[in-house]
Amino acid sequence: MATPNALLVIIRHAPHGSNWLREGLDAALVAAAFGQPVHLLFMGQGILALMKEQSSGAPGQKATLPTIDMLEMYDIDKLWIAEEALQALYIATDMLVNGVTVIAERDIPDLLQQHTNILNF
């Protein structure tokens, strides 16, 4: 499921209202730019960053979709989301960007065990 020695970045915050999501994506891009394999796990309101339809945020905040679209250029192709978060926010998978893998909440501990380096945003 995971690549050995890959960095797992967990995104839990919505795209707007704080810088946590942007900082998490920036950390993932920097690590990938230096050759580190990177995987992303979106949980809770973090899955809102993967919505196909996004507007720009509050003044001074950029939309996150352009950054999400860039991930593949950095070989970040493992994007997981917790199924229960989708259900809790009433989001259908066809509302999300392509390339997302839905995993059950019960499988997240196994995913965490497969990564020695984890960053939480």
Side-chain angles (χ1 to χ4, degrees), residues 5-16:
N5 299 318
L7 169 66
L8 178 65
V9 178
I10 301 174
I11 306 288
R12 296 176 187 267
H13 291 84
H16 309 298

Side-chain angles (χ1 to χ4, degrees), residues 78-104:
K78 297 233 187 315
L79 307 174
W80 291 295
I81 51 174
E83 182 177 30
E84 288 78 358
L86 280 177
Q87 294 168 353
L89 294 171
Y90 302 101
I91 296 174
T93 54
D94 63 351
M95 298 168 71
L96 302 173
V97 297
N98 294 331
V100 173
T101 302
V102 178
I103 63 170

Side-chain angles (χ1 to χ4, degrees), residues 20 33 35 56:
W20 284 103
S56 59

